[in-house]
């Protein structure tokens, strides 16, 4: 008998044709996450099995909780037999140290060659336990202990509890997207939700030195590092937006500052996305949150690009967004008080219903195409990896 970690894929199993891609990508992502060649991983269409020394289990489970595509994590026992008598004997031994008064058995039989049904096996094992252990009762509705038995090809698996995984799809299975990442609360949450759907993210940050500080940039790097936990690593594009922003500020009526600024941000984002094979833009916009996120503003801003723009937070309240950001540990970084390029040039009365014709007219007042290409030509790329953890074997 071997103690091991078992993974249930959850939503993945509904992907009939692509299931192999999903599972092999998940395996690669887990390997990269665990970063330890001594850990062996096997899989079939229903489960993944991770073999390593028991002393690393806690750390491995901790890491697996940050991997999308995992529905449940289980610490269990592998028996190289399908023989029920042998299973019963092992079960009695495993239960020796466990305190419980009520129990039920839940059998899953993916190997349909086994002549007995799951229900028959449940009652056979139940009856066996009642005979061999004193003061216990079956309770199918609310048992203190559930005994899970899975009968697969040539092996059976026993376990007693499951740990919830993050769900979603393995990162990269849906291709790449470009996240517009500010230092605020919303965009890291939008990023997390998009990675959950299997999209590998690159990130894009607009800075305006000297109007924005190095601390503001470091904050964005820290947020990206947090997302890198779920994304394997993350490529952060940094665009120097100063010249563009100053040109807008000097030449364009101030109520249109933000609208024009965002139209130019979108254009830059689309070019970078196309160059880096990202199929969507992602941002933290939420309907009605600020003047640039009214429906008329969104239309006026969105119309300058062809690429799909995904707004995972479009219909979320700020309080709901804050609650997720606390869960994913980005909140404390997001609320650090360093100014963003949007906040510095905020006009007193930004237009709520921008006129699209006026947007075009105003844009012509600056050489925005040249400025865009210059900014892209000079842009900086930072590769961000999650804070390096030690190999589990190094912890010995
Ligand atoms: P957040 O929305 O992340 O809390 P914010 O409130 O400062 O930050 P908004 O003005 O609401 O930003 O902008 C909406 C979205 O536009 C952001 O969620 C982000 O995706 C994008 N964005 C804003 N500023 C920047 C920036 N400096 N660099 C990259 N993307 C940005
Ligand atoms: Mg916002």
């Amino acid at each position: 008998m071997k103690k091991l970690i078992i993974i249930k894929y959850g939503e993945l199993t509904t992907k009939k044709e692509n299931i192999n891609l999903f599972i092999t990508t998940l395996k690669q992502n887990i390997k990269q996450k665990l970063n330890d060649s001594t850990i062996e991983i096997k899989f079939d269409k229903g489960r993944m099995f991770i073999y390593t020394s028991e002393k690393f289990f806690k750390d491995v489970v901790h890491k697996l909780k940050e991997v999308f595509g995992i529905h449940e994590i289980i610490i269990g026992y592998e028996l190289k037999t399908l023989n029920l008598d042998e299973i019963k004997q092992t079960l009695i031994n495993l239960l020796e140290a466990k305190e419980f008064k009520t129990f039920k058995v839940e059998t899953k039989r993916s190997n349909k060659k086994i002549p007995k049904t799951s229900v028959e096996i449940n009652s056979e094992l139940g009856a066996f336990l009642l005979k061999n252990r004193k003061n216990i009762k079956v309770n199918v509705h609310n048992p203190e202990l559930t005994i899970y038995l899975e009968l697969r090809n040539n092996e059976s698996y026993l376990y007693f509890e499951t740990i919830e995984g993050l769900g979603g799809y393995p990162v990269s299975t849906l291709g790449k997207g470009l996240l517009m990442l500010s230092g605020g609360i919303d965009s890291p949450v939008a990023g997390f939700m998009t990675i959950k759907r299997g999209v590998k993210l690159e990130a894009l940050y607009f800075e305006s030195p000297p109007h924005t500080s190095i601390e503001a940039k470091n904050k964005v790097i820290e947020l990206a590092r947090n997302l890198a936990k779920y994304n394997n690593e993350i490529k952060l594009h940094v665009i120097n937006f100063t010249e563009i922003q100053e040109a807008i500020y000097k030449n364009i009526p101030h109520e249109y500052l933000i609208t024009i600024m965002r139209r130019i941000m979108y254009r830059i984002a689309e070019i970078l996305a196309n160059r880096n094979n990202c199929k969507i833009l992602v941002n933290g916009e939420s309907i009605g949150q600020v003047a640039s996120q009214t429906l008329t503003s969104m239309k006026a801003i969105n119309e300058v690009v062809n690429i799909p723009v995904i707004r995972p937070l479009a219909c979320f309240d700020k309080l709901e967004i804050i609650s997720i950001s606390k869960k994913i540990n980005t909140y404390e970084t997001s609320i650090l008080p360093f100014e963003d390029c949007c906040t510095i040039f905020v006009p007193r009365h930004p237009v709520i219903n921008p006129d699209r014709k006026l947007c075009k007219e105003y844009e012509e007042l600056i050489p925005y195409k040249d400025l865009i290409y210059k900014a892209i030509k000079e842009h900086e790329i930072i590769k961000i990896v999650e804070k390096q953890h030690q190999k589990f074997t190094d912890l010995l």
Side-chain angles (χ1 to χ4, degrees), residues 166-268:
L166 274 183
Y169 295 137
V171 173
S172 292
T173 44
L174 270 291
K176 278 203 296 180
L178 182 63
L179 169 69
M180 299 166 75
L181 182 61
S182 69
I185 294 170
D186 302 335
S187 44
V189 173
F192 175 82
M193 291 172 77
T194 311
I195 302 171
K196 179 168 187 177
R197 301 312 295 164
V199 178
K200 173 136 183 165
L201 288 182
E202 297 197 5
L204 165 61
Y205 170 57
F206 296 92
E207 61 169 356
S208 293
H211 311 296
T212 57
S213 60
I214 186 71
E215 284 89 352
K217 182 177 182 177
N218 286 339
K219 179 174 154 180
V220 172
I221 292 176
E222 191 53 36
L223 291 170
R225 200 184 304 288
N226 211 304
L227 290 178
K229 271 203 286 210
Y230 311 99
N231 198 59
N232 294 338
E233 75 280 303
I234 204 160
K235 190 163 146 191
L236 174 66
H237 302 265
V238 181
I239 289 276
N240 187 321
F241 208 52
T242 312
E243 211 177 334
I244 295 172
Q245 229 167 358
E246 287 177 352
I248 297 174
Y249 196 72
K250 274 184 209 136
N251 297 290
I252 290 175
H254 280 194
E255 55 171 355
Y256 272 74
L257 285 186
I258 299 276
T259 317
I260 304 297
M261 191 181 86
R262 295 194 66 77
R263 281 166 64 104
I264 295 182
M265 280 183 170
Y266 267 49
R267 289 185 177 103
I268 293 177

Side-chain angles (χ1 to χ4, degrees), residues 182 184-187 284-286 289-290 293 313 318 321:
S182 69
I185 294 170
D186 302 335
S187 44
E285 288 172 352
S286 176
Q289 197 185 76
V290 283
Q293 290 162 34
L313 307 180
K318 195 74 188 188
I321 300 169

